[in-house]
Structure formats: structure tokens, C-alpha cells
PDB file of all heavy atoms in Angstrom:
ATOM      1  N   ASP A   1       0.808  -1.168  -0.032  1.00 89.00           N
ATOM      2  CA  ASP A   1      -0.063   0.011   0.006  1.00 89.00           C
ATOM      3  C   ASP A   1       0.882   1.272  -0.011  1.00 89.00           C
ATOM      4  O   ASP A   1       0.385   2.340   0.350  1.00 89.00           O
ATOM      5  CB  ASP A   1      -0.960  -0.013   1.185  1.00 89.00           C
ATOM      6  CG  ASP A   1      -1.974  -1.111   1.198  1.00 89.00           C
ATOM      7  OD1 ASP A   1      -2.393  -1.490   0.050  1.00 89.00           O
ATOM      8  OD2 ASP A   1      -2.251  -1.680   2.230  1.00 89.00           O
ATOM      9  N   GLY A   2       2.123   1.132  -0.367  1.00 86.00           N
ATOM     10  CA  GLY A   2       3.048   2.279  -0.362  1.00 86.00           C
ATOM     11  C   GLY A   2       4.097   2.005   0.711  1.00 86.00           C
ATOM     12  O   GLY A   2       3.991   1.226   1.535  1.00 86.00           O
ATOM     13  N   LEU A   3       5.180   2.731   0.479  1.00 86.00           N
ATOM     14  CA  LEU A   3       6.369   2.519   1.325  1.00 86.00           C
ATOM     15  C   LEU A   3       6.003   2.817   2.812  1.00 86.00           C
ATOM     16  O   LEU A   3       5.491   3.834   3.129  1.00 86.00           O
ATOM     17  CB  LEU A   3       7.535   3.475   0.915  1.00 86.00           C
ATOM     18  CG  LEU A   3       8.858   3.126   1.408  1.00 86.00           C
ATOM     19  CD1 LEU A   3       9.327   1.813   0.834  1.00 86.00           C
ATOM     20  CD2 LEU A   3       9.889   4.258   1.001  1.00 86.00           C
ATOM     21  N   ARG A   4       6.313   1.834   3.724  1.00 88.00           N
ATOM     22  CA  ARG A   4       6.084   2.008   5.122  1.00 88.00           C
ATOM     23  C   ARG A   4       7.093   2.912   5.728  1.00 88.00           C
ATOM     24  O   ARG A   4       8.170   2.513   6.221  1.00 88.00           O
ATOM     25  CB  ARG A   4       6.100   0.682   5.846  1.00 88.00           C
ATOM     26  CG  ARG A   4       4.929  -0.219   5.536  1.00 88.00           C
ATOM     27  CD  ARG A   4       3.721   0.212   6.437  1.00 88.00           C
ATOM     28  NE  ARG A   4       4.025   0.211   7.836  1.00 88.00           N
ATOM     29  CZ  ARG A   4       3.908  -0.860   8.567  1.00 88.00           C
ATOM     30  NH1 ARG A   4       3.489  -2.014   8.042  1.00 88.00           N
ATOM     31  NH2 ARG A   4       4.155  -0.864   9.862  1.00 88.00           N
ATOM     32  N   GLU A   5       6.835   4.211   5.716  1.00 80.00           N
ATOM     33  CA  GLU A   5       7.769   5.237   6.214  1.00 80.00           C
ATOM     34  C   GLU A   5       7.882   5.212   7.718  1.00 80.00           C
ATOM     35  O   GLU A   5       8.828   5.872   8.305  1.00 80.00           O
ATOM     36  CB  GLU A   5       7.378   6.654   5.708  1.00 80.00           C
ATOM     37  CG  GLU A   5       7.429   6.722   4.165  1.00 80.00           C
ATOM     38  CD  GLU A   5       7.140   8.085   3.685  1.00 80.00           C
ATOM     39  OE1 GLU A   5       6.863   8.976   4.539  1.00 80.00           O
ATOM     40  OE2 GLU A   5       7.199   8.354   2.488  1.00 80.00           O
ATOM     41  N   ASP A   6       6.961   4.550   8.394  1.00 86.00           N
ATOM     42  CA  ASP A   6       7.159   4.357   9.869  1.00 86.00           C
ATOM     43  C   ASP A   6       8.192   3.393  10.252  1.00 86.00           C
ATOM     44  O   ASP A   6       8.557   3.334  11.430  1.00 86.00           O
ATOM     45  CB  ASP A   6       5.758   3.993  10.493  1.00 86.00           C
ATOM     46  CG  ASP A   6       5.253   2.685   9.952  1.00 86.00           C
ATOM     47  OD1 ASP A   6       5.295   2.484   8.709  1.00 86.00           O
ATOM     48  OD2 ASP A   6       4.859   1.785  10.726  1.00 86.00           O
ATOM     49  N   LEU A   7       8.660   2.567   9.267  1.00 90.00           N
ATOM     50  CA  LEU A   7       9.702   1.580   9.527  1.00 90.00           C
ATOM     51  C   LEU A   7      10.999   1.978   8.926  1.00 90.00           C
ATOM     52  O   LEU A   7      11.002   2.546   7.817  1.00 90.00           O
ATOM     53  CB  LEU A   7       9.193   0.214   8.945  1.00 90.00           C
ATOM     54  CG  LEU A   7       7.917  -0.368   9.484  1.00 90.00           C
ATOM     55  CD1 LEU A   7       7.633  -1.641   8.726  1.00 90.00           C
ATOM     56  CD2 LEU A   7       7.998  -0.655  10.989  1.00 90.00           C
ATOM     57  N   VAL A   8      12.088   1.747   9.595  1.00 93.00           N
ATOM     58  CA  VAL A   8      13.373   1.976   9.023  1.00 93.00           C
ATOM     59  C   VAL A   8      13.800   0.873   8.090  1.00 93.00           C
ATOM     60  O   VAL A   8      13.702  -0.315   8.417  1.00 93.00           O
ATOM     61  CB  VAL A   8      14.453   2.117  10.139  1.00 93.00           C
ATOM     62  CG1 VAL A   8      15.852   2.235   9.578  1.00 93.00           C
ATOM     63  CG2 VAL A   8      14.144   3.320  11.082  1.00 93.00           C
ATOM     64  N   LEU A   9      14.217   1.230   6.866  1.00 92.00           N
ATOM     65  CA  LEU A   9      14.528   0.228   5.892  1.00 92.00           C
ATOM     66  C   LEU A   9      16.098  -0.059   5.953  1.00 92.00           C
ATOM     67  O   LEU A   9      16.904   0.810   6.257  1.00 92.00           O
ATOM     68  CB  LEU A   9      14.137   0.733   4.460  1.00 92.00           C
ATOM     69  CG  LEU A   9      12.716   0.519   4.004  1.00 92.00           C
ATOM     70  CD1 LEU A   9      11.739   1.269   4.926  1.00 92.00           C
ATOM     71  CD2 LEU A   9      12.581   0.986   2.563  1.00 92.00           C
ATOM     72  N   THR A  10      16.410  -1.262   5.555  1.00 92.00           N
ATOM     73  CA  THR A  10      17.816  -1.672   5.349  1.00 92.00           C
ATOM     74  C   THR A  10      18.233  -1.360   3.958  1.00 92.00           C
ATOM     75  O   THR A  10      17.422  -0.997   3.077  1.00 92.00           O
ATOM     76  CB  THR A  10      18.003  -3.186   5.602  1.00 92.00           C
ATOM     77  OG1 THR A  10      17.486  -3.919   4.465  1.00 92.00           O
ATOM     78  CG2 THR A  10      17.303  -3.660   6.869  1.00 92.00           C
ATOM     79  N   GLU A  11      19.520  -1.439   3.696  1.00 90.00           N
ATOM     80  CA  GLU A  11      20.104  -1.251   2.364  1.00 90.00           C
ATOM     81  C   GLU A  11      19.379  -2.139   1.351  1.00 90.00           C
ATOM     82  O   GLU A  11      18.948  -1.726   0.314  1.00 90.00           O
ATOM     83  CB  GLU A  11      21.589  -1.438   2.316  1.00 90.00           C
ATOM     84  CG  GLU A  11      22.456  -0.372   2.993  1.00 90.00           C
ATOM     85  CD  GLU A  11      22.786  -0.702   4.417  1.00 90.00           C
ATOM     86  OE1 GLU A  11      22.157  -1.645   4.968  1.00 90.00           O
ATOM     87  OE2 GLU A  11      23.588  -0.077   5.029  1.00 90.00           O
ATOM     88  N   TYR A  12      19.351  -3.430   1.695  1.00 90.00           N
ATOM     89  CA  TYR A  12      18.716  -4.464   0.833  1.00 90.00           C
ATOM     90  C   TYR A  12      17.244  -4.123   0.604  1.00 90.00           C
ATOM     91  O   TYR A  12      16.786  -4.213  -0.548  1.00 90.00           O
ATOM     92  CB  TYR A  12      18.818  -5.892   1.447  1.00 90.00           C
ATOM     93  CG  TYR A  12      20.196  -6.465   1.252  1.00 90.00           C
ATOM     94  CD1 TYR A  12      20.933  -6.959   2.353  1.00 90.00           C
ATOM     95  CD2 TYR A  12      20.745  -6.700   0.004  1.00 90.00           C
ATOM     96  CE1 TYR A  12      22.086  -7.526   2.269  1.00 90.00           C
ATOM     97  CE2 TYR A  12      22.014  -7.330  -0.132  1.00 90.00           C
ATOM     98  CZ  TYR A  12      22.676  -7.721   1.020  1.00 90.00           C
ATOM     99  OH  TYR A  12      23.899  -8.291   0.826  1.00 90.00           O
ATOM    100  N   GLU A  13      16.577  -3.813   1.627  1.00 93.00           N
ATOM    101  CA  GLU A  13      15.139  -3.504   1.513  1.00 93.00           C
ATOM    102  C   GLU A  13      14.857  -2.390   0.524  1.00 93.00           C
ATOM    103  O   GLU A  13      13.950  -2.497  -0.315  1.00 93.00           O
ATOM    104  CB  GLU A  13      14.538  -3.210   2.856  1.00 93.00           C
ATOM    105  CG  GLU A  13      13.029  -3.151   2.907  1.00 93.00           C
ATOM    106  CD  GLU A  13      12.511  -3.010   4.273  1.00 93.00           C
ATOM    107  OE1 GLU A  13      13.275  -2.933   5.255  1.00 93.00           O
ATOM    108  OE2 GLU A  13      11.266  -3.010   4.418  1.00 93.00           O
ATOM    109  N   SER A  14      15.584  -1.332   0.580  1.00 88.00           N
ATOM    110  CA  SER A  14      15.373  -0.180  -0.289  1.00 88.00           C
ATOM    111  C   SER A  14      15.543  -0.644  -1.768  1.00 88.00           C
ATOM    112  O   SER A  14      14.749  -0.256  -2.616  1.00 88.00           O
ATOM    113  CB  SER A  14      16.357   0.939  -0.006  1.00 88.00           C
ATOM    114  OG  SER A  14      16.218   1.456   1.342  1.00 88.00           O
ATOM    115  N   LYS A  15      16.530  -1.439  -1.996  1.00 91.00           N
ATOM    116  CA  LYS A  15      16.826  -1.878  -3.435  1.00 91.00           C
ATOM    117  C   LYS A  15      15.652  -2.795  -3.862  1.00 91.00           C
ATOM    118  O   LYS A  15      15.158  -2.738  -4.985  1.00 91.00           O
ATOM    119  CB  LYS A  15      18.103  -2.691  -3.486  1.00 91.00           C
ATOM    120  CG  LYS A  15      19.340  -1.763  -3.254  1.00 91.00           C
ATOM    121  CD  LYS A  15      20.623  -2.569  -3.294  1.00 91.00           C
ATOM    122  CE  LYS A  15      21.822  -1.761  -3.044  1.00 91.00           C
ATOM    123  NZ  LYS A  15      23.103  -2.484  -2.942  1.00 91.00           N
ATOM    124  N   PHE A  16      15.235  -3.798  -2.930  1.00 92.00           N
ATOM    125  CA  PHE A  16      14.218  -4.649  -3.304  1.00 92.00           C
ATOM    126  C   PHE A  16      12.889  -4.002  -3.605  1.00 92.00           C
ATOM    127  O   PHE A  16      12.133  -4.357  -4.478  1.00 92.00           O
ATOM    128  CB  PHE A  16      14.068  -5.717  -2.229  1.00 92.00           C
ATOM    129  CG  PHE A  16      15.227  -6.635  -2.011  1.00 92.00           C
ATOM    130  CD1 PHE A  16      15.467  -7.196  -0.732  1.00 92.00           C
ATOM    131  CD2 PHE A  16      16.119  -6.871  -3.068  1.00 92.00           C
ATOM    132  CE1 PHE A  16      16.550  -7.995  -0.542  1.00 92.00           C
ATOM    133  CE2 PHE A  16      17.155  -7.751  -2.855  1.00 92.00           C
ATOM    134  CZ  PHE A  16      17.391  -8.289  -1.593  1.00 92.00           C
ATOM    135  N   VAL A  17      12.598  -2.992  -2.806  1.00 90.00           N
ATOM    136  CA  VAL A  17      11.290  -2.258  -3.025  1.00 90.00           C
ATOM    137  C   VAL A  17      11.252  -1.534  -4.338  1.00 90.00           C
ATOM    138  O   VAL A  17      10.306  -1.532  -5.055  1.00 90.00           O
ATOM    139  CB  VAL A  17      11.058  -1.298  -1.788  1.00 90.00           C
ATOM    140  CG1 VAL A  17       9.846  -0.373  -2.123  1.00 90.00           C
ATOM    141  CG2 VAL A  17      10.799  -2.075  -0.498  1.00 90.00           C
ATOM    142  N   GLU A  18      12.481  -0.949  -4.631  1.00 89.00           N
ATOM    143  CA  GLU A  18      12.593  -0.245  -5.958  1.00 89.00           C
ATOM    144  C   GLU A  18      12.376  -1.208  -7.107  1.00 89.00           C
ATOM    145  O   GLU A  18      11.813  -0.798  -8.183  1.00 89.00           O
ATOM    146  CB  GLU A  18      13.976   0.389  -6.068  1.00 89.00           C
ATOM    147  CG  GLU A  18      14.181   1.585  -5.181  1.00 89.00           C
ATOM    148  CD  GLU A  18      15.599   2.210  -5.280  1.00 89.00           C
ATOM    149  OE1 GLU A  18      16.382   1.618  -6.034  1.00 89.00           O
ATOM    150  OE2 GLU A  18      15.858   3.146  -4.573  1.00 89.00           O
ATOM    151  N   ARG A  19      12.723  -2.409  -6.921  1.00 91.00           N
ATOM    152  CA  ARG A  19      12.550  -3.465  -7.989  1.00 91.00           C
ATOM    153  C   ARG A  19      11.159  -4.089  -7.956  1.00 91.00           C
ATOM    154  O   ARG A  19      10.870  -4.955  -8.808  1.00 91.00           O
ATOM    155  CB  ARG A  19      13.539  -4.574  -7.784  1.00 91.00           C
ATOM    156  CG  ARG A  19      15.009  -4.102  -7.918  1.00 91.00           C
ATOM    157  CD  ARG A  19      15.990  -5.223  -7.621  1.00 91.00           C
ATOM    158  NE  ARG A  19      17.423  -4.794  -7.509  1.00 91.00           N
ATOM    159  CZ  ARG A  19      18.336  -5.539  -7.088  1.00 91.00           C
ATOM    160  NH1 ARG A  19      18.135  -6.719  -6.661  1.00 91.00           N
ATOM    161  NH2 ARG A  19      19.581  -5.031  -7.092  1.00 91.00           N
ATOM    162  N   GLY A  20      10.361  -3.647  -7.071  1.00 90.00           N
ATOM    163  CA  GLY A  20       8.952  -4.219  -7.003  1.00 90.00           C
ATOM    164  C   GLY A  20       8.892  -5.561  -6.299  1.00 90.00           C
ATOM    165  O   GLY A  20       7.833  -6.238  -6.440  1.00 90.00           O
ATOM    166  N   MET A  21       9.911  -5.958  -5.560  1.00 93.00           N
ATOM    167  CA  MET A  21       9.879  -7.215  -4.889  1.00 93.00           C
ATOM    168  C   MET A  21       9.089  -7.203  -3.625  1.00 93.00           C
ATOM    169  O   MET A  21       9.030  -6.215  -2.921  1.00 93.00           O
ATOM    170  CB  MET A  21      11.380  -7.684  -4.611  1.00 93.00           C
ATOM    171  CG  MET A  21      12.185  -7.889  -5.862  1.00 93.00           C
ATOM    172  SD  MET A  21      13.942  -8.147  -5.518  1.00 93.00           S
ATOM    173  CE  MET A  21      13.910  -9.682  -4.592  1.00 93.00           C
ATOM    174  N   ASN A  22       8.433  -8.279  -3.276  1.00 96.00           N
ATOM    175  CA  ASN A  22       7.693  -8.434  -2.030  1.00 96.00           C
ATOM    176  C   ASN A  22       8.643  -8.538  -0.824  1.00 96.00           C
ATOM    177  O   ASN A  22       9.547  -9.288  -0.898  1.00 96.00           O
ATOM    178  CB  ASN A  22       6.741  -9.562  -2.104  1.00 96.00           C
ATOM    179  CG  ASN A  22       5.594  -9.380  -3.035  1.00 96.00           C
ATOM    180  OD1 ASN A  22       5.405  -8.373  -3.634  1.00 96.00           O
ATOM    181  ND2 ASN A  22       4.678 -10.331  -3.093  1.00 96.00           N
ATOM    182  N   ILE A  23       8.289  -7.827   0.242  1.00 97.00           N
ATOM    183  CA  ILE A  23       8.977  -7.979   1.512  1.00 97.00           C
ATOM    184  C   ILE A  23       8.050  -8.684   2.487  1.00 97.00           C
ATOM    185  O   ILE A  23       6.934  -8.213   2.718  1.00 97.00           O
ATOM    186  CB  ILE A  23       9.391  -6.614   2.093  1.00 97.00           C
ATOM    187  CG1 ILE A  23      10.270  -5.842   1.055  1.00 97.00           C
ATOM    188  CG2 ILE A  23      10.159  -6.753   3.351  1.00 97.00           C
ATOM    189  CD1 ILE A  23      11.519  -6.487   0.586  1.00 97.00           C
ATOM    190  N   HIS A  24       8.547  -9.757   3.053  1.00 97.00           N
ATOM    191  CA  HIS A  24       7.766 -10.566   4.048  1.00 97.00           C
ATOM    192  C   HIS A  24       8.229 -10.107   5.456  1.00 97.00           C
ATOM    193  O   HIS A  24       9.401  -9.922   5.707  1.00 97.00           O
ATOM    194  CB  HIS A  24       7.961 -12.022   3.861  1.00 97.00           C
ATOM    195  CG  HIS A  24       7.900 -12.443   2.418  1.00 97.00           C
ATOM    196  ND1 HIS A  24       6.782 -12.184   1.644  1.00 97.00           N
ATOM    197  CD2 HIS A  24       8.818 -13.079   1.664  1.00 97.00           C
ATOM    198  CE1 HIS A  24       6.994 -12.685   0.400  1.00 97.00           C
ATOM    199  NE2 HIS A  24       8.208 -13.189   0.378  1.00 97.00           N
ATOM    200  N   ARG A  25       7.286  -9.966   6.365  1.00 97.00           N
ATOM    201  CA  ARG A  25       7.608  -9.564   7.692  1.00 97.00           C
ATOM    202  C   ARG A  25       6.662 -10.207   8.734  1.00 97.00           C
ATOM    203  O   ARG A  25       5.500 -10.465   8.455  1.00 97.00           O
ATOM    204  CB  ARG A  25       7.496  -8.003   7.830  1.00 97.00           C
ATOM    205  CG  ARG A  25       7.921  -7.429   9.222  1.00 97.00           C
ATOM    206  CD  ARG A  25       7.852  -5.940   9.143  1.00 97.00           C
ATOM    207  NE  ARG A  25       8.323  -5.354  10.504  1.00 97.00           N
ATOM    208  CZ  ARG A  25       7.578  -5.162  11.535  1.00 97.00           C
ATOM    209  NH1 ARG A  25       6.270  -5.491  11.519  1.00 97.00           N
ATOM    210  NH2 ARG A  25       8.089  -4.652  12.561  1.00 97.00           N
ATOM    211  N   LEU A  26       7.208 -10.386   9.905  1.00 98.00           N
ATOM    212  CA  LEU A  26       6.382 -10.893  11.081  1.00 98.00           C
ATOM    213  C   LEU A  26       6.996 -10.394  12.323  1.00 98.00           C
ATOM    214  O   LEU A  26       8.252 -10.028  12.404  1.00 98.00           O
ATOM    215  CB  LEU A  26       6.221 -12.358  11.019  1.00 98.00           C
ATOM    216  CG  LEU A  26       7.508 -13.275  11.177  1.00 98.00           C
ATOM    217  CD1 LEU A  26       7.998 -13.383  12.635  1.00 98.00           C
ATOM    218  CD2 LEU A  26       7.172 -14.681  10.595  1.00 98.00           C
ATOM    219  N   GLU A  27       6.224 -10.434  13.454  1.00 98.00           N
ATOM    220  CA  GLU A  27       6.711 -10.182  14.753  1.00 98.00           C
ATOM    221  C   GLU A  27       6.374 -11.375  15.679  1.00 98.00           C
ATOM    222  O   GLU A  27       5.250 -11.889  15.595  1.00 98.00           O
ATOM    223  CB  GLU A  27       6.041  -8.945  15.342  1.00 98.00           C
ATOM    224  CG  GLU A  27       6.346  -7.637  14.561  1.00 98.00           C
ATOM    225  CD  GLU A  27       5.559  -6.451  14.981  1.00 98.00           C
ATOM    226  OE1 GLU A  27       4.815  -6.581  15.989  1.00 98.00           O
ATOM    227  OE2 GLU A  27       5.672  -5.408  14.345  1.00 98.00           O
ATOM    228  N   ALA A  28       7.402 -11.904  16.321  1.00 98.00           N
ATOM    229  CA  ALA A  28       7.187 -13.073  17.201  1.00 98.00           C
ATOM    230  C   ALA A  28       7.182 -12.569  18.665  1.00 98.00           C
ATOM    231  O   ALA A  28       8.079 -11.834  19.030  1.00 98.00           O
ATOM    232  CB  ALA A  28       8.282 -14.090  16.992  1.00 98.00           C
ATOM    233  N   VAL A  29       6.143 -12.926  19.361  1.00 98.00           N
ATOM    234  CA  VAL A  29       5.941 -12.512  20.741  1.00 98.00           C
ATOM    235  C   VAL A  29       6.543 -13.606  21.657  1.00 98.00           C
ATOM    236  O   VAL A  29       5.968 -14.713  21.699  1.00 98.00           O
ATOM    237  CB  VAL A  29       4.495 -12.201  21.118  1.00 98.00           C
ATOM    238  CG1 VAL A  29       4.345 -11.570  22.463  1.00 98.00           C
ATOM    239  CG2 VAL A  29       3.896 -11.301  19.993  1.00 98.00           C
ATOM    240  N   ILE A  30       7.541 -13.326  22.400  1.00 98.00           N
ATOM    241  CA  ILE A  30       8.291 -14.331  23.205  1.00 98.00           C
ATOM    242  C   ILE A  30       8.040 -14.244  24.742  1.00 98.00           C
ATOM    243  O   ILE A  30       7.649 -15.160  25.336  1.00 98.00           O
ATOM    244  CB  ILE A  30       9.786 -14.263  22.892  1.00 98.00           C
ATOM    245  CG1 ILE A  30      10.055 -14.382  21.450  1.00 98.00           C
ATOM    246  CG2 ILE A  30      10.555 -15.309  23.723  1.00 98.00           C
ATOM    247  CD1 ILE A  30       9.704 -15.733  20.735  1.00 98.00           C
ATOM    248  N   GLY A  31       8.348 -13.097  25.299  1.00 98.00           N
ATOM    249  CA  GLY A  31       8.311 -12.910  26.684  1.00 98.00           C
ATOM    250  C   GLY A  31       6.952 -12.940  27.347  1.00 98.00           C
ATOM    251  O   GLY A  31       5.935 -12.628  26.633  1.00 98.00           O
ATOM    252  N   GLU A  32       6.823 -13.347  28.530  1.00 98.00           N
ATOM    253  CA  GLU A  32       5.511 -13.466  29.249  1.00 98.00           C
ATOM    254  C   GLU A  32       4.792 -12.091  29.357  1.00 98.00           C
ATOM    255  O   GLU A  32       3.579 -12.086  29.097  1.00 98.00           O
ATOM    256  CB  GLU A  32       5.737 -14.071  30.641  1.00 98.00           C
ATOM    257  CG  GLU A  32       6.104 -15.503  30.648  1.00 98.00           C
ATOM    258  CD  GLU A  32       4.968 -16.404  29.998  1.00 98.00           C
ATOM    259  OE1 GLU A  32       3.823 -16.095  30.150  1.00 98.00           O
ATOM    260  OE2 GLU A  32       5.422 -17.285  29.269  1.00 98.00           O
TER     261      GLU A  32
END
């Protein structure tokens, strides 16, 4: 839905987004 400007991108991520590649993401909840 557009670049997630609330998230800091890595070098790789910036390149991949420019190429139209999908970025997969998740958050794992560990602590009690």
C-alpha cells in the first residue's frame, strides 16, 4: 500500500522495494 515510512529500511530492502519485490515480515511474541 506504499512505502512504510514508519519503519526503518535496510540497504537491501530499499533496493528490493525499488525493484517491486515483495517484502515478508512478522513479529514473534516471546516474553511473558
